[in-house]
Amino acid sequence: MRYRKIPDETIRRLPVYLRGLLSLLQEGQKRISSHNLANYLAIYPWQIRKDFSYFGGFGTPGVGYDIKNLIKQINKILKLDIVNKAALVGVGNLGSAVLAYPGFAIYGFNIAAAFDKNPKKIGKKIKNVTIEDVSNLRTLKKRKIKLAIIAVPGDAAQLTATALVKAGVTGILNFSPCRITVPKRVKVISIDIAIDLARLPYYMPAG
Amino acid sequence: MRYRKIPDETIRRLPVYLRGLLSLLQEGQKRISSHNLANYLAIYPWQIRKDFSYFGGFGTPGVGYDIKNLIKQINKILKLDIVNKAALVGVGNLGSAVLAYPGFAIYGFNIAAAFDKNPKKIGKKIKNVTIEDVSNLRTLKKRKIKLAIIAVPGDAAQLTATALVKAGVTGILNFSPCRITVPKRVKVISIDIAIDLARLPYYMPAG
DNA sequence: GCATGTGAAAATCTTCACAGCA
DNA sequence: TGCTGTGAAGATTTTCACATGC
């Protein structure tokens, strides 16, 4: 296989595949064909094969894919094959939900620190994580936490991002409804829960 | 302008433009050029002009765009020019955060009903919304609520979706980490907060 | 026979460059 | 002059079809 740039869309789909494969593994399945996996995920088999082909292909012709191996390979590609420690900034309604969310574990994430600026919250423990004052953000470098989740109100988002970058963070999941500006070497992925709802009426039949 | 299919990507960007324009309006601005709006949103001007061109264009050559008018036009395209009532199903950690989230209002959304299956929660009021038993879901048709947000645990997501569709819902924002199957006429947009975090390490420098 | 992996074709989306209007 | 709107070019992504290997 010649080298070609791996499409961002392929990377976006890998966690989806991973989630499905982990479910299938738990159901006791050992092997699966692109056809059956596609069926399971409600997509098309050639999409799956093409995506894997960018990495050289992980299957056996005439047989299919070994689920355990496939999971291992995807985890390696996405760098999820180690425990990724993450920090949460902003323990309001949304932040608390993030802290309690059970879904991070399957991808090997561990929310290892939480920060807030409200003195009333500092020192409290949620899910075994003690909430610290935001001034402690600079300790992240020493603690080797490179991943952060921003769940503060919009007007504090940029300030928080800047502090995180200063503390050595290179990946940010931004839940605030604001664009944040960071150096190019830092990757930001934003989720604005309202903005996704906002395009739903467009697709709905009138009346 | 000849008719051409409007790209989904264009529709995905319209709420982003809308959010920026509403901010600018609040700052007291009346007019803006594609160049300045692009700068504000950290994208490119031709993208903005192209997106609007699919609808015939909303600007004046040599001048730019009238912000108020542009907002009105986008709202109309996205069918946000009326109050869209939405129902929330699942008032756990994530559901409570959704209920308290202030960001829906700018797009004209109103979370008008909330449902849970936990008897302890039923009857409680959060943000002026009284939590009802999920068996009440079938009243949605009568209440003309066509939009729903699913924030139940994964294993209840499909059941909830099926009940919603039966109750006349045609648009679903799905926060559960599960694919849900619905008739083609129903539009589902899914947000899995863990799945977005899962592709962050890939883009981060090693070490 | 059966299912993968992959060039090539088709579709989609982005970027360019400039004509045309205020 | 300044900025929009848009055909055309370019880039990316999806889909196809089939050669190849088990």
Side-chain angles (χ1 to χ4, degrees), chain A residues 8 11 15 19 40-42 77-79 93 97 100-101 103-104 107 109 146-147 170-172 175 177 179 187 189 191-204 207, chain B residues 8 11 15 19 40-42 77-79 93 97 100-101 103-104 107 109 146-147 170-172 175 177 179 187 189 191-204 207:
Chain A
D8 275 341
I11 298 302
R19 193 180 68 185
Y40 189 76
L41 300 172
I77 293 165
L78 295 175
K79 300 193 208 164
N93 280 297
Y101 192 69
F104 295 115
Y107 298 112
F109 291 111
K146 300 214 168 298
L147 208 60
T170 55
I172 294 175
F175 277 104
R179 179 178 59 85
K187 176 77 176 177
I189 291 178
I191 302 180
D192 180 339
I193 60 182
I195 231 162
D196 283 307
L197 187 61
R199 69 199 153 94
L200 210 35
Y202 174 84
Y203 293 102
M204 290 161 58
Chain B
D8 274 343
I11 297 301
R19 192 179 70 183
Y40 188 76
L41 299 172
I77 293 164
L78 294 175
K79 299 192 209 165
N93 280 298
Y101 193 68
F104 295 116
Y107 298 112
F109 291 112
K146 301 215 169 293
L147 208 60
T170 55
I172 294 175
F175 277 103
R179 180 178 59 85
K187 175 76 177 178
I189 291 179
I191 301 181
D192 180 338
I193 61 182
I195 231 162
D196 284 307
L197 188 60
R199 68 200 154 96
L200 212 33
Y202 174 84
Y203 293 103
M204 291 161 57

Coordinates of all heavy atoms in Angstrom, one line a residue, chain A residues 8 11 15 19 40-42 77-79 93 97 100-101 103-104 107 109 146-147 170-172 175 177 179 187 189 191-204 207, chain B residues 8 11 15 19 40-42 77-79 93 97 100-101 103-104 107 109 146-147 170-172 175 177 179 187 189 191-204 207:
Chain A
D8 N -9.4 12.8 7.6 CA -10.0 13.2 8.9 C -11.3 12.4 9.2 O -11.6 12.0 10.3 CB -10.3 14.7 9.0 CG -9.0 15.4 9.4 OD1 -8.1 14.8 10.0 OD2 -9.0 16.7 9.2
I11 N -10.6 9.1 10.6 CA -10.3 9.2 12.1 C -11.5 9.4 12.9 O -11.7 8.9 14.0 CB -9.3 10.4 12.3 CG1 -8.0 10.1 11.6 CG2 -9.0 10.6 13.8 CD1 -7.3 8.8 12.0
P15 N -13.4 5.8 16.3 CA -14.0 5.6 17.6 C -15.4 5.0 17.5 O -15.8 4.2 18.4 CB -14.1 7.0 18.2 CG -13.1 7.8 17.5 CD -13.1 7.3 16.1
R19 N -16.3 1.5 19.4 CA -17.5 1.3 20.3 C -18.3 0.1 19.9 O -18.7 -0.7 20.8 CB -18.4 2.6 20.2 CG -19.4 2.7 21.3 CD -20.2 4.0 21.2 NE -21.1 4.0 20.0 CZ -21.8 5.0 19.7 NH1 -21.8 6.1 20.4 NH2 -22.6 4.9 18.6
Y40 N -24.3 -3.7 11.5 CA -24.4 -3.4 12.9 C -24.3 -1.9 13.2 O -25.0 -1.4 14.1 CB -23.3 -4.2 13.7 CG -23.3 -4.1 15.2 CD1 -24.2 -5.0 15.9 CD2 -22.5 -3.3 15.9 CE1 -24.3 -4.9 17.2 CE2 -22.5 -3.3 17.3 CZ -23.4 -4.1 17.9 OH -23.5 -4.1 19.3
L41 N -23.5 -1.3 12.4 CA -23.3 0.2 12.6 C -24.2 1.1 11.7 O -24.1 2.3 11.8 CB -21.8 0.5 12.4 CG -20.8 -0.2 13.3 CD1 -19.4 0.1 12.8 CD2 -21.0 0.3 14.7
A42 N -25.0 0.4 10.9 CA -25.8 1.2 9.9 C -25.0 2.0 9.0 O -25.3 3.2 8.7 CB -26.8 2.0 10.7
I77 N -3.8 3.2 16.9 CA -3.9 4.3 16.0 C -4.3 5.6 16.7 O -3.7 6.7 16.5 CB -4.9 4.0 14.8 CG1 -4.4 2.9 13.9 CG2 -5.1 5.3 14.0 CD1 -5.4 2.3 13.0
L78 N -5.4 5.5 17.5 CA -5.9 6.6 18.2 C -5.1 7.0 19.4 O -5.5 7.9 20.1 CB -7.4 6.4 18.5 CG -8.4 6.2 17.3 CD1 -9.7 5.8 17.9 CD2 -8.4 7.5 16.5
K79 N -4.1 6.3 19.7 CA -3.3 6.5 20.9 C -4.2 6.3 22.2 O -4.0 7.1 23.1 CB -2.6 7.8 20.9 CG -1.7 8.0 19.8 CD -0.8 9.3 20.0 CE -0.4 9.9 18.7 NZ 0.1 11.2 18.8
N93 N -23.3 22.5 36.1 CA -24.2 21.4 35.7 C -23.6 20.5 34.7 O -23.6 19.2 34.9 CB -25.4 22.0 35.1 CG -26.4 22.5 36.2 OD1 -26.9 21.8 36.9 ND2 -26.6 23.8 36.2
A97 N -21.9 16.6 35.1 CA -22.4 15.5 34.2 C -21.2 14.8 33.6 O -21.2 13.5 33.5 CB -23.4 16.0 33.2
A100 N -19.4 12.6 36.0 CA -20.2 11.3 36.3 C -20.4 10.4 35.1 O -20.8 9.3 35.3 CB -21.5 11.7 36.9
Y101 N -20.1 10.9 34.0 CA -20.4 10.1 32.7 C -19.6 8.9 32.7 O -18.3 8.9 32.8 CB -20.0 11.0 31.5 CG -20.6 10.5 30.2 CD1 -21.9 10.4 29.9 CD2 -19.7 10.0 29.2 CE1 -22.4 9.9 28.7 CE2 -20.2 9.5 28.0 CZ -21.5 9.5 27.8 OH -22.0 9.0 26.6
G103 N -19.1 6.8 30.2 CA -18.7 6.5 28.8 C -17.2 6.7 28.5 O -16.7 6.2 27.5
F104 N -16.5 7.4 29.3 CA -15.1 7.7 29.0 C -14.2 6.5 29.2 O -13.2 6.3 28.5 CB -14.6 8.9 29.8 CG -15.2 10.2 29.5 CD1 -16.0 10.8 30.5 CD2 -15.1 10.8 28.3 CE1 -16.6 12.0 30.2 CE2 -15.7 12.0 28.0 CZ -16.5 12.6 29.0
Y107 N -12.8 4.1 26.4 CA -11.7 4.6 25.6 C -10.4 4.8 26.4 O -9.4 5.3 25.8 CB -12.1 5.9 24.9 CG -13.3 5.7 24.0 CD1 -14.5 6.3 24.3 CD2 -13.2 5.0 22.8 CE1 -15.6 6.2 23.5 CE2 -14.3 4.9 22.0 CZ -15.5 5.5 22.3 OH -16.6 5.4 21.5
F109 N -10.0 6.6 29.1 CA -9.8 8.0 29.7 C -10.1 7.9 31.2 O -10.9 7.1 31.7 CB -10.8 9.0 29.1 CG -10.4 9.3 27.7 CD1 -11.3 9.0 26.7 CD2 -9.3 10.0 27.4 CE1 -11.0 9.3 25.3 CE2 -9.0 10.4 26.1 CZ -9.8 10.0 25.1
K146 N -2.2 16.1 29.9 CA -2.1 16.9 28.6 C -3.4 17.1 27.9 O -3.5 17.7 26.9 CB -1.2 16.1 27.7 CG 0.2 15.9 28.2 CD 1.3 15.9 27.1 CE 2.7 16.0 27.6 NZ 3.0 17.2 28.4
L147 N -4.5 16.6 28.6 CA -5.8 16.6 28.0 C -6.7 17.3 28.9 O -6.7 17.1 30.1 CB -6.2 15.1 27.8 CG -7.1 14.7 26.8 CD1 -6.6 15.1 25.4 CD2 -7.4 13.2 26.9
T170 N -2.2 19.9 25.5 CA -2.1 20.0 24.0 C -3.4 19.5 23.3 O -3.5 19.4 22.1 CB -0.9 19.2 23.5 OG1 -1.0 17.8 24.0 CG2 0.4 19.8 23.9
G171 N -4.4 19.1 24.1 CA -5.7 18.7 23.6 C -6.8 19.1 24.4 O -6.8 19.0 25.6
I172 N -7.8 19.8 23.8 CA -8.9 20.4 24.5 C -10.2 20.0 24.0 O -10.4 20.1 22.7 CB -8.8 21.9 24.5 CG1 -7.5 22.4 25.3 CG2 -10.0 22.5 25.1 CD1 -7.3 23.9 25.3
F175 N -16.6 22.5 25.6 CA -18.1 22.4 25.7 C -18.7 23.8 25.7 O -19.9 23.9 25.7 CB -18.5 21.7 27.0 CG -18.5 20.2 26.8 CD1 -17.6 19.4 27.4 CD2 -19.6 19.6 26.1 CE1 -17.6 18.0 27.2 CE2 -19.6 18.2 25.9 CZ -18.6 17.4 26.5
P177 N -20.0 27.4 24.4 CA -20.5 27.8 23.1 C -19.7 29.0 22.6 O -20.2 30.0 22.2 CB -21.9 28.3 23.5 CG -21.8 28.7 24.9 CD -20.7 28.0 25.6
R179 N -15.8 30.0 20.3 CA -14.6 29.7 19.7 C -13.5 30.0 20.6 O -13.5 31.1 21.3 CB -14.5 30.5 18.4 CG -13.2 30.2 17.6 CD -13.3 31.0 16.3 NE -13.4 32.5 16.6 CZ -12.3 33.3 16.8 NH1 -11.1 32.8 16.9 NH2 -12.6 34.6 17.1
K187 N -4.7 20.9 19.8 CA -5.9 20.5 19.0 C -7.1 20.8 19.9 O -7.2 20.4 21.1 CB -5.8 19.0 18.7 CG -7.0 18.4 18.1 CD -7.1 18.8 16.6 CE -8.3 18.1 15.9 NZ -8.5 18.6 14.5
I189 N -11.3 20.3 20.0 CA -12.5 19.8 19.5 C -13.7 20.4 20.3 O -13.6 20.3 21.5 CB -12.6 18.2 19.5 CG1 -11.5 17.7 18.5 CG2 -14.0 17.7 19.2 CD1 -11.4 16.2 18.4
I191 N -17.8 20.9 21.2 CA -19.1 20.4 21.2 C -20.0 21.5 21.8 O -19.9 21.9 22.9 CB -19.3 19.2 22.1 CG1 -18.3 18.1 21.7 CG2 -20.7 18.7 22.1 CD1 -18.4 16.8 22.5
D192 N -20.9 22.0 21.0 CA -21.9 22.9 21.4 C -23.3 22.2 21.3 O -23.8 22.1 20.2 CB -21.9 24.2 20.6 CG -22.9 25.2 21.0 OD1 -23.9 24.9 21.7 OD2 -22.7 26.4 20.7
I193 N -23.8 21.8 22.4 CA -25.0 21.0 22.4 C -26.2 21.7 21.7 O -27.0 21.1 21.1 CB -25.4 20.4 23.8 CG1 -25.7 21.5 24.8 CG2 -24.3 19.5 24.3 CD1 -26.0 21.0 26.2
A194 N -26.2 23.1 21.8 CA -27.3 23.8 21.3 C -27.2 23.9 19.7 O -28.2 23.9 19.0 CB -27.4 25.2 21.9
I195 N -26.0 24.0 19.3 CA -25.7 24.2 17.8 C -26.1 22.9 17.0 O -26.5 23.0 15.9 CB -24.3 24.6 17.6 CG1 -24.2 25.9 16.8 CG2 -23.4 23.5 17.0 CD1 -22.9 26.6 16.8
D196 N -26.0 21.8 17.7 CA -26.5 20.6 17.0 C -28.0 20.5 16.9 O -28.6 20.0 15.9 CB -25.9 19.3 17.6 CG -24.4 19.2 17.3 OD1 -24.1 19.2 16.1 OD2 -23.6 19.1 18.2
L197 N -28.6 20.9 18.0 CA -30.1 20.9 18.1 C -30.6 21.9 17.0 O -31.6 21.7 16.4 CB -30.6 21.3 19.5 CG -32.1 21.2 19.7 CD1 -32.6 19.8 19.6 CD2 -32.4 21.7 21.1
A198 N -29.8 23.0 16.8 CA -30.3 24.1 15.9 C -30.5 23.7 14.5 O -31.2 24.3 13.7 CB -29.3 25.2 16.0
R199 N -29.8 22.6 14.0 CA -30.1 22.2 12.6 C -31.1 21.1 12.5 O -31.4 20.6 11.4 CB -28.7 21.9 11.9 CG -28.1 20.6 12.4 CD -26.6 20.6 12.0 NE -25.8 19.8 12.9 CZ -25.6 18.5 12.6 NH1 -25.9 18.0 11.5 NH2 -24.9 17.8 13.5
L200 N -31.6 20.7 13.6 CA -32.6 19.6 13.5 C -33.9 20.0 12.9 O -34.4 19.3 12.0 CB -32.9 19.1 15.0 CG -33.3 17.7 15.2 CD1 -32.6 16.7 14.3 CD2 -33.0 17.3 16.7
P201 N -34.5 21.2 13.2 CA -35.8 21.6 12.6 C -35.7 21.7 11.0 O -36.6 21.3 10.4 CB -36.0 23.0 13.2 CG -35.4 23.0 14.5 CD -34.1 22.1 14.3
Y202 N -34.5 22.0 10.5 CA -34.3 22.1 9.1 C -34.7 20.8 8.4 O -35.3 20.8 7.3 CB -32.9 22.4 8.7 CG -32.5 22.4 7.3 CD1 -32.8 23.5 6.5 CD2 -32.0 21.3 6.7 CE1 -32.5 23.4 5.1 CE2 -31.7 21.2 5.4 CZ -31.9 22.3 4.6 OH -31.6 22.2 3.2
Y203 N -34.3 19.7 9.1 CA -34.5 18.4 8.5 C -35.9 17.8 8.8 O -36.2 16.7 8.3 CB -33.4 17.4 8.9 CG -32.1 17.8 8.4 CD1 -31.1 18.4 9.3 CD2 -31.7 17.5 7.1 CE1 -29.9 18.7 8.8 CE2 -30.4 17.8 6.7 CZ -29.5 18.4 7.5 OH -28.3 18.7 7.0
M204 N -36.7 18.4 9.6 CA -37.9 17.9 10.0 C -39.0 18.3 9.0 O -39.0 19.5 8.6 CB -38.3 18.3 11.4 CG -37.4 17.6 12.5 SD -37.4 18.4 14.1 CE -39.1 18.4 14.5
G207 N -45.0 21.5 9.6 CA -46.3 21.2 10.3 C -45.9 20.7 11.6 O -46.4 20.1 12.4
Chain B
D8 N -25.0 19.5 3.1 CA -25.2 19.4 4.5 C -24.2 20.2 5.3 O -24.5 20.7 6.4 CB -25.0 17.9 4.9 CG -26.3 17.1 4.7 OD1 -27.4 17.8 4.6 OD2 -26.3 15.9 4.6
I11 N -25.5 23.6 5.9 CA -26.5 23.6 6.9 C -25.8 23.5 8.3 O -26.2 24.2 9.3 CB -27.5 22.4 6.7 CG1 -28.3 22.6 5.4 CG2 -28.5 22.4 7.9 CD1 -29.0 23.9 5.3
P15 N -25.8 27.5 11.8 CA -26.0 27.8 13.3 C -24.7 28.5 13.8 O -24.8 29.3 14.7 CB -26.2 26.5 13.9 CG -26.8 25.6 12.9 CD -26.1 26.0 11.6
R19 N -24.8 32.1 15.5 CA -24.3 32.4 16.9 C -23.4 33.6 16.9 O -23.5 34.5 17.7 CB -23.5 31.2 17.4 CG -23.2 31.2 18.8 CD -22.5 29.9 19.3 NE -21.1 29.9 18.7 CZ -20.3 28.8 18.8 NH1 -20.7 27.8 19.6 NH2 -19.1 28.8 18.3
Y40 N -13.9 36.9 12.3 CA -14.5 36.7 13.6 C -14.7 35.3 14.0 O -14.6 34.8 15.1 CB -15.8 37.5 13.6 CG -16.5 37.6 14.9 CD1 -16.1 38.5 15.9 CD2 -17.7 36.8 15.2 CE1 -16.8 38.6 17.1 CE2 -18.3 36.9 16.4 CZ -17.9 37.8 17.4 OH -18.5 37.9 18.6
L41 N -15.0 34.5 12.9 CA -15.3 33.1 13.1 C -14.2 32.1 12.9 O -14.3 30.9 13.0 CB -16.5 32.7 12.2 CG -17.8 33.4 12.4 CD1 -18.8 33.0 11.3 CD2 -18.4 33.1 13.8
A42 N -13.0 32.7 12.5 CA -11.8 31.9 12.2 C -12.1 31.0 11.1 O -11.7 29.8 11.1 CB -11.3 31.2 13.5
I77 N -34.4 29.8 7.2 CA -33.9 28.6 6.5 C -33.9 27.4 7.5 O -34.3 26.4 7.2 CB -32.4 28.8 6.0 CG1 -32.4 29.9 4.9 CG2 -31.8 27.5 5.6 CD1 -31.0 30.4 4.6
L78 N -33.4 27.7 8.7 CA -33.3 26.6 9.7 C -34.6 26.3 10.4 O -34.6 25.5 11.3 CB -32.2 27.0 10.7 CG -30.8 27.0 10.2 CD1 -29.8 27.5 11.3 CD2 -30.3 25.7 9.6
K79 N -35.6 27.1 10.1 CA -36.9 26.9 10.7 C -36.8 27.2 12.2 O -37.5 26.6 13.1 CB -37.6 25.6 10.5 CG -37.8 25.2 9.0 CD -38.7 24.0 8.9 CE -38.4 23.2 7.6 NZ -38.9 21.9 7.6
N93 N -27.8 13.0 35.4 CA -26.8 14.1 35.4 C -26.8 14.9 34.1 O -26.9 16.1 34.1 CB -25.4 13.4 35.6 CG -25.1 13.1 37.0 OD1 -25.1 13.9 37.8 ND2 -25.0 11.8 37.3
A97 N -28.3 18.8 33.3 CA -27.4 19.8 32.7 C -28.1 20.4 31.4 O -28.0 21.6 31.2 CB -26.1 19.2 32.3
A100 N -30.8 22.8 32.4 CA -30.3 24.0 32.9 C -29.5 24.8 31.9 O -29.1 26.0 32.2 CB -29.4 23.8 34.2
Y101 N -29.2 24.2 30.8 CA -28.3 24.9 29.8 C -28.9 26.1 29.2 O -30.0 26.1 28.7 CB -28.0 23.9 28.7 CG -26.9 24.3 27.8 CD1 -25.6 24.4 28.2 CD2 -27.1 24.7 26.5 CE1 -24.5 24.8 27.4 CE2 -26.0 25.1 25.6 CZ -24.8 25.1 26.1 OH -23.7 25.5 25.3
G103 N -28.0 27.9 26.7 CA -27.7 28.2 25.3 C -28.8 27.9 24.3 O -28.7 28.2 23.1
F104 N -29.8 27.2 24.7 CA -30.9 26.8 23.7 C -31.7 28.0 23.3 O -32.2 28.1 22.2 CB -31.8 25.7 24.3 CG -31.1 24.4 24.5 CD1 -31.0 23.9 25.8 CD2 -30.6 23.7 23.4 CE1 -30.3 22.7 26.0 CE2 -29.9 22.5 23.6 CZ -29.8 22.0 24.9
Y107 N -31.5 30.1 20.0 CA -32.0 29.5 18.8 C -33.6 29.4 18.8 O -34.1 28.7 17.9 CB -31.4 28.2 18.5 CG -29.9 28.3 18.3 CD1 -29.0 27.7 19.3 CD2 -29.3 28.9 17.2 CE1 -27.6 27.8 19.1 CE2 -27.9 29.0 17.1 CZ -27.1 28.4 18.0 OH -25.7 28.5 17.9
F109 N -35.3 27.7 21.1 CA -35.8 26.5 21.7 C -36.4 26.7 23.1 O -35.9 27.5 23.8 CB -34.7 25.4 21.7 CG -34.3 24.9 20.4 CD1 -33.0 25.2 19.9 CD2 -35.1 24.2 19.6 CE1 -32.6 24.8 18.6 CE2 -34.8 23.7 18.4 CZ -33.5 24.0 17.9
K146 N -42.7 18.1 18.8 CA -42.2 17.3 17.7 C -40.7 17.0 17.8 O -40.1 16.3 17.0 CB -42.5 17.9 16.4 CG -43.9 18.2 16.1 CD -44.2 18.0 14.6 CE -45.7 18.0 14.4 NZ -46.4 16.8 15.0
L147 N -40.1 17.6 18.8 CA -38.6 17.6 19.0 C -38.3 17.0 20.4 O -38.9 17.4 21.3 CB -38.2 19.0 19.0 CG -36.8 19.4 18.4 CD1 -36.6 18.9 17.0 CD2 -36.6 20.9 18.5
T170 N -40.5 14.0 15.4 CA -39.8 13.8 14.1 C -38.4 14.3 14.1 O -37.7 14.2 13.0 CB -40.6 14.5 12.9 OG1 -40.8 15.9 13.3 CG2 -42.0 13.9 12.7
G171 N -37.9 14.7 15.2 CA -36.5 15.1 15.3 C -36.0 14.8 16.7 O -36.6 15.0 17.7
I172 N -34.8 14.1 16.7 CA -34.3 13.6 18.0 C -32.8 14.0 18.1 O -32.0 13.8 17.2 CB -34.4 12.1 18.1 CG1 -35.9 11.7 18.2 CG2 -33.6 11.5 19.3 CD1 -36.1 10.1 18.1
F175 N -28.2 11.9 23.0 CA -27.0 12.0 23.8 C -26.5 10.6 24.3 O -25.5 10.5 24.9 CB -27.3 12.8 25.1 CG -27.1 14.3 24.8 CD1 -28.2 15.1 24.7 CD2 -25.9 14.9 24.7 CE1 -28.1 16.4 24.4 CE2 -25.7 16.2 24.4 CZ -26.9 17.0 24.3
P177 N -24.9 6.9 24.2 CA -23.8 6.4 23.3 C -24.2 5.2 22.6 O -23.5 4.1 22.6 CB -22.7 6.0 24.4 CG -23.5 5.7 25.6 CD -24.8 6.5 25.6
R179 N -26.4 3.8 18.8 CA -27.1 4.1 17.6 C -28.6 3.8 17.9 O -28.9 2.8 18.6 CB -26.6 3.1 16.5 CG -27.3 3.3 15.2 CD -26.6 2.3 14.1 NE -26.7 0.9 14.6 CZ -27.7 0.1 14.4 NH1 -28.8 0.6 13.7 NH2 -27.7 -1.1 14.7
K187 N -35.5 12.5 11.8 CA -34.1 12.9 11.8 C -33.5 12.7 13.1 O -34.0 13.2 14.1 CB -34.0 14.3 11.3 CG -32.6 14.9 11.3 CD -31.8 14.4 10.1 CE -30.4 15.0 10.1 NZ -29.5 14.5 9.1
I189 N -29.9 13.3 15.3 CA -28.6 13.8 15.4 C -28.0 13.4 16.7 O -28.7 13.5 17.8 CB -28.5 15.4 15.3 CG1 -28.9 15.8 13.9 CG2 -27.1 15.9 15.7 CD1 -28.9 17.3 13.7
I191 N -25.0 13.0 19.7 CA -23.8 13.6 20.3 C -23.3 12.6 21.4 O -24.1 12.2 22.3 CB -24.1 14.9 21.1 CG1 -24.7 15.9 20.1 CG2 -22.9 15.4 21.7 CD1 -25.0 17.3 20.7
D192 N -22.1 12.0 21.2 CA -21.5 11.1 22.2 C -20.3 11.9 22.7 O -19.3 11.9 22.0 CB -21.2 9.8 21.5 CG -20.6 8.8 22.5 OD1 -20.0 9.3 23.5 OD2 -20.6 7.6 22.2
I193 N -20.4 12.4 23.9 CA -19.3 13.2 24.4 C -18.0 12.5 24.5 O -17.0 13.1 24.3 CB -19.7 13.9 25.7 CG1 -20.0 13.0 26.8 CG2 -20.9 14.8 25.5 CD1 -20.4 13.7 28.1
A194 N -18.1 11.2 24.7 CA -16.8 10.4 24.8 C -16.2 10.2 23.5 O -15.0 10.2 23.3 CB -17.1 9.1 25.5
I195 N -17.0 10.0 22.4 CA -16.5 9.7 21.1 C -15.7 10.8 20.5 O -14.8 10.6 19.7 CB -17.7 9.2 20.2 CG1 -17.3 7.9 19.6 CG2 -18.0 10.2 19.2 CD1 -18.5 7.1 19.0
D196 N -16.0 12.0 20.9 CA -15.3 13.2 20.4 C -14.0 13.3 21.1 O -12.9 13.7 20.5 CB -16.1 14.5 20.5 CG -17.2 14.6 19.5 OD1 -16.8 14.4 18.3 OD2 -18.4 14.7 19.8
L197 N -14.0 13.0 22.4 CA -12.7 13.0 23.2 C -11.8 11.9 22.6 O -10.6 12.1 22.6 CB -13.0 12.8 24.7 CG -11.9 12.9 25.6 CD1 -11.3 14.3 25.6 CD2 -12.3 12.6 27.1
A198 N -12.4 10.9 22.1 CA -11.6 9.7 21.7 C -10.7 10.0 20.6 O -9.7 9.2 20.3 CB -12.5 8.5 21.5
R199 N -11.0 11.0 19.8 CA -10.1 11.2 18.6 C -9.1 12.3 18.9 O -8.2 12.7 18.1 CB -10.8 11.5 17.3 CG -11.6 12.7 17.2 CD -12.6 12.6 16.2 NE -13.7 13.5 16.5 CZ -13.8 14.8 16.0 NH1 -12.9 15.2 15.1 NH2 -14.8 15.6 16.3
L200 N -9.1 12.9 20.1 CA -8.2 14.0 20.5 C -6.8 13.5 20.6 O -5.9 14.1 20.0 CB -8.7 14.6 21.8 CG -8.5 16.1 22.1 CD1 -8.5 16.9 20.8 CD2 -9.4 16.6 23.1
P201 N -6.5 12.4 21.3 CA -5.1 11.9 21.4 C -4.4 11.7 20.1 O -3.2 12.0 20.0 CB -5.2 10.6 22.2 CG -6.4 10.7 23.0 CD -7.4 11.5 22.1
Y202 N -5.1 11.3 19.1 CA -4.6 11.1 17.8 C -3.9 12.3 17.2 O -2.8 12.3 16.6 CB -5.7 10.7 16.8 CG -5.2 10.6 15.3 CD1 -4.6 9.4 14.9 CD2 -5.4 11.6 14.4 CE1 -4.1 9.3 13.5 CE2 -5.0 11.5 13.1 CZ -4.3 10.4 12.7 OH -3.9 10.3 11.4
Y203 N -4.5 13.5 17.5 CA -3.9 14.7 17.0 C -2.9 15.4 17.9 O -2.3 16.4 17.5 CB -5.1 15.7 16.7 CG -6.0 15.3 15.7 CD1 -7.3 14.7 16.0 CD2 -5.7 15.4 14.3 CE1 -8.2 14.3 14.9 CE2 -6.6 15.0 13.3 CZ -7.8 14.5 13.6 OH -8.7 14.1 12.6
M204 N -2.7 14.8 19.1 CA -1.8 15.4 20.0 C -0.4 14.9 19.8 O -0.2 13.7 19.5 CB -2.2 15.2 21.4 CG -3.5 15.9 21.8 SD -4.3 15.3 23.2 CE -3.1 15.4 24.5
G207 N 4.4 12.0 23.6 CA 5.1 12.4 24.8 C 4.1 13.0 25.7 O 4.1 13.7 26.5

